[in-house]
Amino acid sequence: MSLPAPPMNSPLSLLSLPVEVIGDVLAILGVVDLLACTQVNRHVYGIIADSSRLQFTIELSKYRMSSRLPDNPLHPYVKRLNSLRDREHAWRSLKWHARHRLGLPRVASIYEFVGGIYGNGRDHDRQDPIPGISFFQLPYAGPDNDSSTKYEMWTHPFHDLNILDFTIDPAQDLLVLVTHCPPESPFVFELHLRTLESNEPHPRAASPNLPCFAKDLLNAPPSNVAGAIRIQISGDLIGFLMKEMDTIEVWHPESGYCSSFVLPSGIEDFTFISQTSFLIVRPTGFLEVYKFHKPSADSRPPALLGSFAFPPLRDGPRFWHSSLSTNPTPGYEAAPEPSRCANHLYYPTLSDRIIACCVYIVDPSDDPLRPRVYSFVFFFPVHIFLEESPHSILNLCKSEPPSDRSDVHPTDTIFFSSYHYKTVDENQPHNPTATNMYPVAWDDWGPPNTRWFRECLVTDWQHAVHGMRTAETISAKVWNGSPKDSMEGVIVEVETIDEEGEQDVIDDRVDNFVEYGAVTPPLPNGMPEPPAVVSRRYLRVRDFNPYAIRLISEADNAVTESSTWRGRRVITTESECEAHEVFTQDIKSSLPYAEVVSRQAFDMTDVMMDDCRILLLKTGHEAVDF
């Protein structure tokens, strides 16, 4: 495209400079200002439209992505732009760039998936310690990779450690192990900070071992169940929740300082939503947002920014368990150097992520010995709980009780202390800090900012949410000519279901088999391998990104025989999730989203995802397809 040059006799101005110089100046601007410049005149519009660098900046913002990759002739902006567009189109149409079958051992009870690395506690009885952890580089269909790329596997044995849980951050070469402290220790747990590649003490940690949770705060013997704890890495911070102590500890490993937060009425789960705030879910059905300071010698108590109520329950049912899941964590930064197993060109913007909240409700009214459990999952964007976000709803929170409700009680007092690992005192008191805030009623915040569904305990949401997308497996069956989904409502239109109905052929084609040399050990006591059970399930991906929703709305949604997706739809209207006799009324929610369901069925039992791949797992078998 030839651009009209400014008149030769015009006075010296920005527009009289060479196009390349104008492009460099425009590249300094933020996206909002850059888009405003497209309205200046045709000359500036043409420069922006023809610049792959400026278009990459604009497209990153539209897709809610960030990039920290510097200028590099090996990665020209036109290559980055095409990679971004191709991958986002592939997500909208479920069009795989490559499909691999991985030779992995059985999925253990404790596993992790971050930054293209899959960590698997070696197969063991669930009551026994983990004897070792194996790590696998997962194939990545990046612009620089080819089918001949070799992916590595390595195993760290831990015969001397009783590992309860672990997590990783490959970008920091960080492996965090959770173990019990020795019986004589005044603390319950210990964090071990190791390098992921070599299992050496981490060089940036003030100490390779950090004592956690003083026993004097515990009213009962600690549980041996790893589910009672939660560990999360977010940049230079590590968050550690122990439910039985109603306590969250936030560590800054580089300095060795820790901040400890105790909420006596209980914490079900937590997640960082920024590097200075975290979100918790309470046993009584509330979300609370706390702002904290980086752990240091003079750390101040946290501040409660907001409390938000779940839909009210009927008399009898009660909240049993709730969990929070979001990826990546707000402190995550992809490694700037090329990687064989991770997307280093861009990653989800950390203020534009979806959080999944699973809610389990027990109703003992019919049979107290065998109470019935109801499960739900709802999604909401993290930015509604961020102070700096223009979409924040924190301004709804009040320190005065609502005049129209007498049954609302103020939030709990939080107890806070900080310490250094060298000078830690198990008897150091936690100082009380009053929060003095009243929860925002569900009807005042929930319906426009969330989307609710029934949940059937099938999906591990901890690894099935990434950025603004979610993934899950569904069983779509046909009864009397009408499709029915065990999760919620109608998933696919009747006319799009193949003639085979629920006997759809399993799609087991692969482009490559990755053999790591992993060996699945025999089952204990000479038990025979259980017979393989074929599980015909479809893959469903939801996208809550407004730009993706608009693109799918504008596209031709007609299903053809060559389509890789079975059904695709955009939901912008309000939906109702049946109360099922546990809530006082059906739950209305209207957060817009788009979803696509795979045309082919897969033999899988669970799914994981990140920004550039999907893992379809078959529990108890060596194959993992994506």
Side-chain angles (χ1 to χ4, degrees), residues 17-35:
L17 297 174
V19 170
E20 293 79 9
V21 176
I22 297 176
D24 289 340
V25 173
L26 292 174
I28 301 174
L29 301 177
V31 173
V32 174
D33 293 332
L34 189 58
L35 291 174

Side-chain angles (χ1 to χ4, degrees), residues 421-618:
Y421 82 95
K422 284 185 177 180
T423 58
V424 61
D425 179 2
E426 70 273 15
N427 297 313
Q428 181 174 347
H430 281 66
N431 300 313
T433 301
T435 54
N436 297 325
M437 188 172 290
Y438 287 83
V440 179
W442 163 256
D443 289 338
D444 294 333
W445 79 273
N449 294 297
T450 66
R451 184 68 73 165
W452 281 68
F453 305 95
R454 284 298 309 276
E455 217 281 326
C456 289
L457 308 178
V458 174
T459 302
D460 172 18
W461 290 107
Q462 182 178 351
H463 299 93
V465 180
H466 197 91
M468 302 199 76
R469 296 189 187 94
T470 69
E472 62 190 303
T473 71
I474 60 173
S475 176
K477 298 184 178 180
V478 180
W479 288 286
N480 299 323
S482 175
K484 181 179 179 180
D485 173 38
S486 60
M487 298 288 285
E488 105 300 330
V490 173
I491 298 306
V492 294
E493 300 298 329
V494 175
E495 61 268 22
T496 66
I497 293 183
D498 298 335
E499 292 182 358
E500 294 88 349
E502 59 182 292
Q503 297 300 321
D504 285 345
V505 176
I506 297 296
D507 188 355
D508 58 359
R509 296 167 296 169
V510 294
D511 302 317
N512 186 31
F513 181 82
V514 181
E515 178 56 70
Y516 294 99
V519 177
T520 298
L523 294 178
N525 302 324
M527 294 175 56
E529 188 76 31
V533 177
V534 176
S535 177
R536 291 182 173 87
R537 302 188 66 83
Y538 300 107
L539 174 67
R540 173 167 57 194
V541 174
R542 291 192 176 105
D543 198 331
F544 292 85
N545 182 350
Y547 183 56
I549 294 171
R550 195 190 85 186
L551 290 178
I552 293 179
S553 297
E554 296 173 351
D556 180 8
N557 289 340
V559 179
T560 65
E561 289 303 319
S562 61
S563 298
T564 56
W565 40 270
R566 168 181 295 277
R568 192 165 70 175
R569 63 176 183 170
V570 170
I571 306 298
T572 58
T573 57
E574 184 180 80
S575 62
E576 287 191 2
C577 188
E578 292 185 21
H580 290 278
E581 301 182 353
V582 293
F583 294 106
T584 57
Q585 57 186 0
D586 291 346
I587 303 171
K588 297 181 179 180
S589 57
S590 56
L591 183 67
Y593 69 95
E595 75 173 24
V596 57
V597 179
S598 64
R599 169 168 291 277
Q600 294 293 330
F602 299 92
D603 182 14
M604 60 179 172
T605 53
D606 202 357
V607 61
M608 298 184 190
M609 71 181 306
D610 62 10
D611 62 320
C612 58
R613 83 201 99 202
I614 289 179
L615 280 72
L616 307 181
L617 294 97
K618 177 67 174 178

Side-chain angles (χ1 to χ4, degrees), residues 150-220:
K150 302 298 183 182
Y151 298 95
E152 297 179 359
M153 165 205 167
W154 65 99
T155 298
H156 297 322
F158 298 108
H159 301 299
D160 57 336
L161 293 178
N162 182 358
I163 299 174
L164 302 174
D165 201 358
F166 76 95
T167 188
I168 61 175
D169 185 348
Q172 301 186 68
D173 190 27
L174 177 59
L175 166 63
V176 179
L177 307 172
V178 181
T179 68
H180 278 302
C181 284
E184 64 275 12
S185 171
F187 294 89
V188 180
F189 295 112
E190 192 169 43
L191 296 181
H192 301 256
L193 309 182
R194 307 288 186 91
T195 56
L196 178 60
E197 289 191 3
S198 60
N199 196 25
E200 298 292 331
H202 201 277
R204 292 198 301 274
S207 171
N209 303 320
L210 303 174
C212 303
F213 305 110
K215 289 179 179 177
D216 67 332
L217 294 177
L218 194 63
N219 296 321

Side-chain angles (χ1 to χ4, degrees), residues 40-51:
V40 171
N41 58 34
R42 292 180 59 194
H43 183 59
V44 177
Y45 177 87
I47 294 174
I48 296 174
D50 282 359
S51 169

Side-chain angles (χ1 to χ4, degrees), residues 14-315:
L14 174 65
L15 299 184
S16 65
L17 297 174
V19 170
E20 293 79 9
V21 176
I22 297 176
D24 289 340
V25 173
L26 292 174
I28 301 174
L29 301 177
V31 173
V32 174
D33 293 332
L34 189 58
L35 291 174
C37 287
T38 62
Q39 307 298 316
V40 171
N41 58 34
R42 292 180 59 194
H43 183 59
V44 177
Y45 177 87
I47 294 174
I48 296 174
D50 282 359
S51 169
S52 57
R53 179 182 184 181
L54 300 179
Q55 286 299 307
F56 181 65
T57 299
I58 293 173
E59 295 276 310
L60 279 176
S61 179
K62 289 180 178 179
Y63 286 117
R64 273 57 176 180
M65 296 286 178
S66 299
S67 177
R68 60 192 292 252
L69 190 68
D71 290 346
N72 188 333
L74 297 177
H75 299 94
Y77 282 98
V78 63
K79 187 176 182 180
R80 304 185 198 187
L81 179 60
N82 291 335
S83 173
L84 174 63
R85 287 174 172 171
D86 290 347
R87 180 162 292 133
E88 292 301 314
H89 179 267
W91 276 111
R92 294 194 301 273
S93 58
L94 291 187
K95 183 179 179 181
W96 326 116
H97 284 152
R99 296 169 49 143
H100 305 260
R101 175 165 294 166
L102 312 183
L104 300 180
R106 289 190 212 55
V107 177
S109 57
I110 300 177
Y111 51 90
E112 188 61 280
F113 173 41
V114 179
I117 302 295
Y118 175 72
N120 191 50
R122 290 159 72 178
D123 197 63
H124 64 288
D125 185 272
R126 290 176 181 266
Q127 300 301 319
D128 292 340
I130 300 175
I133 303 175
S134 296
F135 299 97
F136 305 84
Q137 290 182 333
L138 298 184
Y140 162 53
D144 301 322
N145 288 23
D146 56 48
S147 58
S148 63
T149 301
K150 302 298 183 182
Y151 298 95
E152 297 179 359
M153 165 205 167
W154 65 99
T155 298
H156 297 322
F158 298 108
H159 301 299
D160 57 336
L161 293 178
N162 182 358
I163 299 174
L164 302 174
D165 201 358
F166 76 95
T167 188
I168 61 175
D169 185 348
Q172 301 186 68
D173 190 27
L174 177 59
L175 166 63
V176 179
L177 307 172
V178 181
T179 68
H180 278 302
C181 284
E184 64 275 12
S185 171
F187 294 89
V188 180
F189 295 112
E190 192 169 43
L191 296 181
H192 301 256
L193 309 182
R194 307 288 186 91
T195 56
L196 178 60
E197 289 191 3
S198 60
N199 196 25
E200 298 292 331
H202 201 277
R204 292 198 301 274
S207 171
N209 303 320
L210 303 174
C212 303
F213 305 110
K215 289 179 179 177
D216 67 332
L217 294 177
L218 194 63
N219 296 321
S223 169
N224 232 355
V225 181
I229 60 178
R230 171 81 182 276
I231 187 79
Q232 188 176 81
I233 301 172
S234 183
D236 60 351
L237 302 175
I238 298 176
F240 192 6
L241 165 67
M242 184 178 181
K243 290 178 59 176
E244 292 171 277
M245 293 179 65
D246 307 323
T247 302
I248 296 174
E249 291 192 346
V250 176
W251 283 90
H252 183 242
E254 190 169 346
S255 67
Y257 279 97
C258 172
S259 293
S260 179
F261 313 95
V262 181
L263 289 98
S265 59
I267 306 172
E268 281 292 294
D269 201 358
F270 91 105
T271 185
F272 288 108
I273 57 175
S274 76
Q275 286 302 90
T276 57
S277 59
F278 57 76
L279 179 70
I280 68 172
V281 57
R282 298 294 217 127
T284 49
F286 295 92
L287 294 172
E288 292 182 355
V289 184
Y290 285 87
K291 182 178 182 178
F292 66 93
H293 301 272
K294 180 176 289 188
S296 65
D298 56 353
S299 293
R300 289 172 288 168
L304 176 62
L305 301 182
S307 178
F308 301 85
F310 286 3
L313 297 178
R314 295 177 181 269
D315 293 336

